[in-house]
Amino acid sequence: MQQLYNRRILLGISGGIAAYKSAELVRTLKKAGADVRVVMTRSAMEFITPLTLQALSGHPVHHSLLDPEAEAGMGHIELAKWADLFLIAPASANLIARLSQGMGDDLLTTVFLATDAPICLAPAMNQAMWRDPITQENIAHLKAAHGDHLTLIGPAAGEQACGDTGLGRMSEPDTIVADVANCFETGLLAGVSVVVTAGPTKEAIDPVRYITNHSSGKMGYAIAEAARDAGARVTLISGPVALQAPERMECVRVRSALDMLAACEKTQDHCQIFIATAAVADYRPASQQEHKIKKHSDELSLTLIRNPDILSTMAAAEQPPFTVGFAAETQDVEHYARDKLTRKKLNMIVANDVSDRSIGFHSDDNAVKVFWGEDGRRDFELMNKRRLAVRLIELIAEKYQEEH
Ligand code: CTP
């Protein structure tokens, strides 16, 4: 179940006898490598204790919307943003009714309203309650409102706690976990070779000093993971960052712009999509001192020379890949981004406004505008970089398929 490795799964538990299976669910998700946090409704706590789920998940369990201490730590908005996927299991008839009406009267329902993560819903109730036309209407309403974003898992058929037999039991934890894992595999880029550059480059001045740019690498790593989950064969070419190499892709670590260029050029014979998120230093010292520069004078001049443009080099190849650039702008975002799109002969450019401190660089969130062709444009509102990466890969895959 490698798809769940390092995934952030928020598990919502509502009140029902099936809540006893939630403990096993948390255990199975954790075993698959997921980071799990739990949100419970008040009635869920009648069936299973927060302490059990805290011990299994390794995190405090969230249950109160009106607890100032909890909200100060990780409130409903943070939880909603944190999740890569929101799994609600068991989802009782009452919870489904509240969700379908857009109610936000407890922590679980407010997180549901606030999240833009994909949602999995595993209903659990008596068979007659499941068959009831109002429950069916509520389910249809939720599906219509959320489209592909909502996956219904079960319910399964069989003997029920009340003695009835029929459709309504919560699916088994193994089945739920397998369906959740499938949500991360879209197949949109099945077999396509994708190269992603990420992080900053470091241009050495002497053995202890360097010139660099702000860049945490988070956006590029998230893009590489989203491409992998879409079925691509991914090569991530990364400058120095504090992030771990992601699983199931080739990760090439480099330092300078020249190293990064050399690593990218090596992929030219198979690269089909090239996504440049790296904050490459535009200039490097003309010469690198062999020994540490000493403080001999009050002034020191450095001669810098232009680094090659890696993205333009890839775009200028005889058979160029589908190229996607990133542009960090502080003003006239569309104008400057479109200028780079044309000048660098790119298929697409993703621009963000770095004058806004809440996004970009070291933040976990980002909001971007994407431009392509003569007048193609899509705006993505502020969201978690991992969610944004999934959306960007969907768009890149769509435009790539149109051209091939
Ligand atoms: N890029 C690159 N190699 C470089 C410089 C930039 O591959 N030597 C890529 C970046 O990864 C990014 C895009 O080009 O995808 C950014 O373009 P660039 O013109 O460098 O943007 P800015 O640095 O914002 O340019 P300017 O200073 O002109 O605004």
Side-chain angles (χ1 to χ4, degrees):
M1 210 76 71
Q2 288 172 317
Q3 303 96 313
L4 290 176
Y5 188 83
N6 263 344
R7 295 289 172 195
R8 296 163 172 179
I9 310 292
L10 185 62
L11 173 63
I13 306 176
S14 64
I17 186 68
Y20 80 91
K21 290 187 191 171
S22 305
E24 184 59 23
L25 199 49
V26 174
R27 223 180 58 83
T28 315
L29 287 166
K30 290 277 293 181
K31 222 167 117 194
D35 189 4
V36 184
R37 286 180 181 267
V38 178
V39 174
M40 301 176 82
T41 63
R42 195 133 47 99
S43 54
M45 291 192 286
E46 305 282 337
F47 292 91
I48 184 164
T49 70
L51 197 61
T52 304
L53 296 160
Q54 173 173 326
L56 289 170
S57 68
H59 294 294
V61 168
H62 306 264
H63 45 79
S64 174
L65 181 61
L66 303 172
D67 175 353
E69 209 177 292
E71 277 286 297
M74 206 176 196
H76 60 292
I77 301 296
E78 283 81 12
L79 283 168
K81 283 187 182 165
W82 174 86
D84 290 331
L85 185 141
F86 189 17
L87 164 65
I88 306 179
S92 66
N94 178 48
L95 180 74
I96 289 169
R98 290 195 293 134
L99 296 178
S100 77
Q101 294 308 304
M103 289 176 76
D105 55 351
D106 66 4
L107 185 62
L108 201 159
T109 49
T110 46
V111 172
F112 182 84
L113 286 176
T115 196
D116 53 24
I119 295 155
C120 286
L121 203 67
M125 66 196 74
N126 167 272
Q127 51 85 23
M129 290 169 75
W130 173 251
R131 273 193 289 114
D132 189 277
I134 296 194
T135 301
Q136 289 305 313
E137 214 172 277
N138 289 338
I139 287 284
H141 192 186
L142 282 170
K143 277 189 185 165
H146 293 274
D148 288 349
H149 248 63
L150 186 136
T151 306
L152 200 63
I153 304 177
E159 199 184 325
Q160 303 202 288
C162 55
D164 279 7
T165 306
L167 215 54
R169 285 163 58 109
M170 186 169 94
S171 299
E172 290 307 315
D174 279 350
T175 310
I176 295 178
V177 173
D179 283 4
V180 167
N182 279 339
C183 290
F184 291 105
E185 296 269 339
T186 63
L188 282 174
L189 290 175
V192 178
S193 168
V194 175
V195 177
V196 181
T197 67
T201 62
K202 284 186 176 174
E203 311 298 326
I205 299 171
D206 67 17
V208 295
R209 302 180 180 93
Y210 54 80
I211 297 173
T212 192
N213 284 324
H214 282 299
S215 171
S216 65
K218 284 179 192 165
M219 194 66 238
Y221 276 54
I223 291 270
E225 289 183 327
R228 174 200 63 197
D229 295 339
R233 278 181 285 120
V234 179
T235 306
L236 172 62
I237 300 175
S238 170
V241 292
L243 305 172
Q244 264 188 6
E247 298 274 302
R248 293 182 290 133
M249 67 178 72
E250 187 187 357
C251 187
V252 184
R253 303 271 193 189
V254 295
R255 253 186 103 74
S256 67
L258 292 180
D259 296 342
M260 189 173 271
L261 176 65
C264 290
E265 282 179 328
K266 275 194 197 152
T267 68
Q268 258 169 340
D269 59 336
H270 62 267
C271 172
Q272 293 167 289
I273 299 181
F274 184 74
I275 308 175
T277 73
V280 184
D282 289 325
Y283 293 88
R284 68 179 184 278
S287 60
Q288 187 186 333
Q289 301 303 311
E290 193 184 336
H291 295 289
K292 188 178 170 194
I293 302 171
K294 290 293 184 188
K295 299 184 279 294
H296 290 314
S297 59
D298 288 344
E299 280 185 19
L300 174 71
S301 299
L302 275 180
T303 305
L304 300 179
I305 52 171
R306 216 26 210 275
N307 264 329
D309 192 306
I310 300 168
L311 178 55
S312 300
T313 309
M314 294 297 282
E318 210 170 300
Q319 290 194 321
F322 184 93
T323 44
V324 183
F326 273 65
E329 306 295 347
T330 54
Q331 56 177 342
D332 283 342
V333 175
E334 174 155 12
H335 171 76
Y336 285 116
R338 282 204 177 275
D339 175 58
K340 274 174 204 166
L341 183 70
T342 331
R343 202 162 25 90
K344 299 196 183 200
K345 298 192 170 62
L346 309 180
N347 296 90
M348 191 180 267
I349 192 137
V350 181
N352 67 341
D353 183 348
V354 285
S355 63
D356 181 344
R357 284 297 184 90
S358 66
I359 60 175
F361 293 148
H362 295 276
S363 161
D364 282 336
D365 300 329
N366 206 353
V368 299
K369 296 178 182 11
V370 186
F371 305 98
W372 64 91
E374 284 287 295
D375 51 8
R377 169 177 179 153
R378 194 164 309 165
D379 292 9
F380 293 89
E381 297 305 321
L382 187 68
M383 65 180 98
N384 169 329
K385 282 181 177 170
R386 292 155 68 106
R387 285 292 316 134
L388 178 62
V390 173
R391 297 278 180 83
L392 289 174
I393 285 295
E394 283 167 6
L395 181 60
I396 291 168
E398 183 189 317
K399 296 294 154 203
Y400 171 74
Q401 309 295 0
E402 275 174 22
E403 300 212 354
H404 291 81

